[in-house]
Amino acid sequence: MSGRKEVLTEQLARKIARMIERFPDAGIPVTWDSVIAHTTKRFGVKLKRNALSQKEFDGIKIIADAFRGAKGVQNRIKNDSIPKYKTAARTVLQQRIELLEAKNIELKEELELVRAQQLEALDSFLNTPRDIHALIEGLSTSAPIDEIARIRQVKNSEEK
């Protein structure tokens, strides 16, 4: 076969397709200009858009298919990064989230403090030896006296 040697081989096309598929993850815009620039830089081959997009191997446009797939991924990433509520500014929503997260952390710390206090009180109660007979006698003797003292205080406050 005479003529110029084929520059865009199937192997090179597959390498270019893998490179294009990585564009969205790397934050590189998926455009034909960026494909041409990166192909020239990485593989040292200056190809035009027409050659890249129209070249078929066994009836499949490898590079064009990879470009379409990467463009779809890029559009999905862009749509996911758009704020959910278009009426509210992104900064306002982020400030609200930060406020709620701070309040959540504060409440968790308070909960841990209360839990520690309750566990300490429970531990103290369980580990302190008590004589049940002394507790019963203390309740029977002090309860009426405390009740009488309370009634006298109420009467004195009413008289004044």
Side-chain angles (χ1 to χ4, degrees), residues 142-157:
S142 67
I145 295 170
D146 290 340
E147 187 65 27
I148 294 169
R150 192 183 62 78
I151 292 171
R152 284 186 183 155
Q153 283 180 343
V154 171
K155 284 183 182 179
N156 290 337
S157 63

Side-chain angles (χ1 to χ4, degrees), residues 126-146:
L126 292 176
N127 291 329
T128 304
R130 291 183 176 27
D131 184 18
I132 191 137
H133 299 296
L135 287 174
I136 293 173
E137 286 178 14
L139 287 175
S140 65
T141 59
S142 67
I145 295 170
D146 290 340

Side-chain angles (χ1 to χ4, degrees), residues 104-122:
N104 189 11
I105 290 170
E106 181 182 333
L107 289 173
K108 282 182 181 179
E109 289 173 355
E110 186 179 339
L111 178 66
E112 288 299 319
L113 180 66
V114 170
R115 280 183 182 164
Q117 290 172 347
Q118 288 178 344
L119 284 174
E120 186 177 318
L122 179 65

Side-chain angles (χ1 to χ4, degrees), residues 54-98:
Q54 297 300 317
K55 184 71 174 183
E56 291 185 11
F57 299 96
D58 298 326
I60 300 171
K61 296 180 180 179
I62 298 172
I63 298 172
D65 291 344
F67 182 85
R68 269 195 297 297
K71 194 72 166 173
V73 170
Q74 180 185 15
N75 289 336
R76 273 195 308 268
I77 291 172
K78 187 175 84 173
N79 288 338
D80 289 345
S81 67
I82 293 174
K84 186 175 180 181
Y85 305 104
K86 292 186 179 184
T87 58
R90 183 180 209 102
T91 55
V92 173
L93 294 175
Q94 287 175 341
Q95 289 174 347
R96 179 77 175 139
I97 289 170
E98 290 171 2

